[in-house]
Amino acid sequence: YELIYLQHGILHCHTPWIYTKEANLIDKIVVSSDFEFNNLIDNYNYKIHDLIPTGMPRFDLSEKKEGHKQKKILIALSWRINLMGKYKNGMYAPNEAKYIKSEYYTEVNNLLKSEKFNKILQNNNIICEFMSHPIFRCYDHLFEIDNPNIKFVSEATAKDYDLIITDYSSIVFDYVYANVPVMYFVPDYDLYKAGITHIYNKLDLPMENGFGPFTTNVESLVREFSKFVNSKFKLENKYTQKSKSFFINKGNHREALYQELIEK
């Protein structure tokens, strides 16, 4: 049979030992952007005929950001492999002692309790929803939040938000697709670069050259967030242009993929 990979998300983490043509049984990969197309050919040894440039099917279900009277932002950060316990029976065990001592927890907690951050939310009637990665939801109870403008959620839809704050998670592309402004926040950046927080330590599309401001501490994040609020959540032109030109096409991805598959 022929194995077609629809993709978990747009591949932007540098993982050639997993995704090079020689390392797996994938025959063809669905791609959504010129970035992926060129990256998979130049760095992962795929040929043009191995790639299907139709965009991921799930993008058909994405709805564009709408105007809201109630402004909402989403914080959605990836998990850290170094902050979990042993892996057994398909699951990671929690390790609360390790988690609460981590730079990640300390800085996220500092952000959620930041007087400046909370004042911006309250003064501008902005709701901040925090969505942990599913593997990290076992730690949500460790945060004590007394601001009604901050809520923990287990799911989110891009169209409901005016801004997403994320890190190296591939969730960023679903929000860029929906025209939602992006900010990056990596509070444990040194550990990430050292390869401690995940199985990779760099991206083929670096956050530092991504779709919005890149920050590594609460002070700089709050400063950049304040700029967003003052500009009514408008991105700088350089980020807007990058977002608009990133995807190969928008819409009708399922039908386009179907046509590609029956013709091959």
Side-chain angles (χ1 to χ4, degrees), residues 3 10 35 45 48 58 66 82 97 99 110 133 146 153 161 186 192 202 222 234 236 247 257:
L3 181 59
I10 288 179
F35 155 72
N45 300 332
I48 290 176
R58 77 161 184 261
E66 302 171 346
N82 63 308
Y99 183 80
N110 286 343
H133 187 284
D146 55 7
V153 296
Y161 297 95
V186 192
Y192 165 73
K202 65 177 181 177
V222 173
K234 288 185 179 179
E236 291 181 48
F247 295 95
L257 176 58

Side-chain angles (χ1 to χ4, degrees), residues 73-77 99 104-119 121-122 127-132 139-140 142-153 165 185 218 221-222:
I73 69 170
L74 178 69
I75 300 176
L77 307 178
Y99 183 80
Y104 172 91
Y105 171 74
T106 299
E107 288 303 296
V108 170
N109 204 31
N110 286 343
L111 171 63
L112 298 179
K113 291 190 172 184
S114 164
E115 184 177 343
K116 288 183 179 179
F117 182 65
N118 279 272
K119 189 171 290 186
L121 295 178
Q122 292 173 328
I127 296 297
C128 171
E129 294 188 339
F130 187 96
M131 183 176 68
S132 297
Y139 296 138
D140 281 358
L142 299 173
F143 294 94
E144 296 180 4
I145 307 301
D146 55 7
N147 181 352
N149 289 59
I150 298 178
K151 304 174 182 179
F152 277 72
V153 296
I165 298 172
F185 177 50
V218 172
L221 174 65
V222 173

Side-chain angles (χ1 to χ4, degrees), residues 7-107:
Q7 292 231 49
H8 163 72
I10 288 179
L11 177 64
H12 70 145
C13 57
H14 185 69
T15 50
W17 60 93
I18 298 175
Y19 286 109
T20 50
K21 182 68 174 176
E22 300 81 7
N24 58 66
L25 300 176
I26 295 171
D27 293 300
K28 289 182 170 62
I29 299 181
V30 174
V31 298
S32 306
S33 63
D34 288 331
F35 155 72
E36 292 168 282
F37 194 91
N38 295 327
N39 191 39
L40 288 170
I41 289 174
D42 295 341
N43 300 312
Y44 291 79
N45 300 332
Y46 287 87
K47 305 299 182 185
I48 290 176
H49 62 262
D50 297 324
L51 306 177
I52 305 176
T54 60
M56 287 187 291
R58 77 161 184 261
F59 279 153
D60 279 345
L61 307 179
S62 177
E63 298 180 60
K64 292 185 178 180
K65 178 175 69 71
E66 302 171 346
H68 312 111
K69 290 183 179 179
Q70 175 74 72
K71 295 294 183 184
K72 287 174 65 177
I73 69 170
L74 178 69
I75 300 176
L77 307 178
S78 192
W79 67 294
R80 273 66 173 156
I81 196 169
N82 63 308
L83 300 183
M84 298 302 299
K86 292 183 178 180
Y87 185 75
K88 187 177 180 181
N89 297 327
M91 295 181 64
Y92 284 96
N95 188 328
E96 291 189 4
K98 183 184 291 186
Y99 183 80
I100 61 176
K101 292 179 181 178
S102 70
E103 192 173 12
Y104 172 91
Y105 171 74
T106 299
E107 288 303 296

